[in-house]
């Protein structure tokens, strides 16, 4: 159970950290779900093409840059609504991946890797820890990280000091795409397959984790462990509980909705 807890939390934490960097720059990336799915598919396709597990993970992270650039083009240059663009990214991913799967792999369904082609379970938490330290150090202990946070909180200060805001917001979006691609790659390589709907709402849960963790990397780690624990308990309870397995598996998403509502109510009360 502990192993399942750590790996479930790791996928959520990596995606949430990507969303945190974008959110800190002043743009809430609603497209995390689509970026995770694209990373998962890219990693499996890269492994089938002969790349090593590390090479497949790098390819998936780079694939996450593509939707991030699209997001940046519409939001930063054309001033589109970021919420609508994020939803469009999710829909674009959902429509593009089956087309790519049929064109490249000859199937629209699941794609399984040969045995031994994935990553071991022990490696997943170390990837998450590495991303956590990278985001924590980059955001709070470097000049670019400071400017990125100022771009989200006091963009006029940057403008008054002749520093462009858009590059730092684009940097946040690129980081979110890279980390979501990484999360999707680890998810797919851990189970050894790409499955339709593999992201399974993790992008939305990652958005909740950002705010439950008070927009701090270590707070996100605690929130991700909580959701990972709920998921692990839900999977374990399927074999013992008399409640319908469908209801049990829906528990993490029910808590996500409750957390969204609770945070919104708390925010309004403070305001």
């Amino acid at each position: 159970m502990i192993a399942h807890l750590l790996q479930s939390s790791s996928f959520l934490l990596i995606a949430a950290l990507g969303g945190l960097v974008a959110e800190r720059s002043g743009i809430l990336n609603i497209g995390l779900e689509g970026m995770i799915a694209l990373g998962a598919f890219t990693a499996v396709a890269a492994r089938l093409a002969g790349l090593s597990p590390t090479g497949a993970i790098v390819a998936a992270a780079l694939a996450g840059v593509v939707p991030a650039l699209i997001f940046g083009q519409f939001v930063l240059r054309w001033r589109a609504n970021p919420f609508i663009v994020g939803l469009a990214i999710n829909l674009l991913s959902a429509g593009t991946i089956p087309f790519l799967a049929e064109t490249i792999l000859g199937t629209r369904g699941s794609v399984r890797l040969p045995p031994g082609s994935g990553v071991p379970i022990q490696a997943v938490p170390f990837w998450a820890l590495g991303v956590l330290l990278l985001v924590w150090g980059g955001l709070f202990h470097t000049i670019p990280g400071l400017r990125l946070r100022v771009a989200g909180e006091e963009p006029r200060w940057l403008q008054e000091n002749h520093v462009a805001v858009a590059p730092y917001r684009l940097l946040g979006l690129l980081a979110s795409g890279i980390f979501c691609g990484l999360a999707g790659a680890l998810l797919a390589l851990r189970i050894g397959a790409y499955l339709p709907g593999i992201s399974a709402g993790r992008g939305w849960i990652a958005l909740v984790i950002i705010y439950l963790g008070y927009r701090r990397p270590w707070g996100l780690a605690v929130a991700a462990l909580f959701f990972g624990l709920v998921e692990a308990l839900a999977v374990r309870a399927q074999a013992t509980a008399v409640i319908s397995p469908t209801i049990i598996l829906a528990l993490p998403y029910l808590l996500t909705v409750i957390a969204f509502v609770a945070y919104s109510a708390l925010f309004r009360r403070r305001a």
Side-chain angles (χ1 to χ4, degrees):
M1 179 174 175
I2 294 179
H4 191 280
L5 165 64
L6 290 177
Q7 67 171 324
S8 299
S9 303
S10 297
F11 305 135
L12 294 172
L13 178 58
I14 294 172
L17 288 168
L20 174 67
V21 179
E23 196 275 342
R24 281 287 197 166
S25 73
I27 298 178
L28 183 61
N29 187 355
I30 305 294
L32 301 181
E33 184 84 0
M35 294 177 178
I36 293 173
L38 181 61
F41 171 77
T42 303
V44 170
R47 282 296 282 141
L48 292 176
L51 269 66
S52 66
T54 302
I57 290 172
V58 172
L62 293 177
V65 171
V66 177
L69 288 174
I70 296 174
F71 199 119
Q73 177 69 26
F74 277 89
V75 174
L76 298 177
R77 179 165 294 186
W78 295 340
R79 307 297 181 186
N81 187 304
F83 295 95
I84 295 177
V85 174
L87 292 175
I89 291 293
N90 292 332
L91 293 174
L92 179 64
S93 175
T96 302
I97 291 176
F99 171 75
L100 293 176
E102 185 175 20
T103 302
I104 299 174
L105 305 176
T107 178
R108 287 191 176 186
S110 62
V111 182
R112 298 194 175 276
L113 293 173
S117 300
V119 295
I121 188 174
Q122 302 90 339
V124 176
F126 286 102
W127 279 94
L129 179 60
V131 174
L132 175 63
L133 294 174
L134 178 62
V135 171
W136 173 70
L139 275 181
F140 296 96
H141 296 86
T142 65
I143 297 299
L146 172 62
R147 290 181 174 178
L148 184 145
R149 288 186 288 121
V150 173
E153 298 171 7
E154 294 291 342
R156 291 182 60 183
W157 186 91
L158 290 179
Q159 295 168 351
E160 290 172 357
N161 287 273
H162 308 289
V163 178
V165 174
Y168 289 98
R169 290 184 170 173
L170 179 60
L171 176 62
L173 288 172
L174 292 176
S176 69
I178 290 172
F179 292 149
C180 286
L182 172 61
L186 291 174
L187 178 61
L189 294 180
R190 172 64 196 97
I191 64 177
Y194 170 79
L195 306 172
I198 190 171
S199 52
R202 287 180 174 85
W204 299 106
I205 296 177
L207 290 173
V208 176
I209 288 174
I210 293 173
Y211 294 103
L212 290 184
Y214 288 95
R215 302 167 68 229
R216 297 277 178 171
W218 297 103
L220 266 65
V222 175
L225 282 172
F226 169 73
F227 276 98
L229 177 62
V230 172
E231 183 176 335
L233 290 174
V235 172
R236 189 178 183 88
Q238 290 184 80
T240 57
V242 295
I243 305 174
S244 169
T246 303
I247 297 176
I248 294 175
L249 290 176
L251 182 60
Y253 311 105
L254 175 62
L255 289 177
T256 300
V257 175
I258 294 173
F260 258 131
V261 174
Y263 182 85
S264 299
L266 180 61
F267 180 80
R268 288 186 178 182
R269 185 175 181 181
R270 287 181 176 179

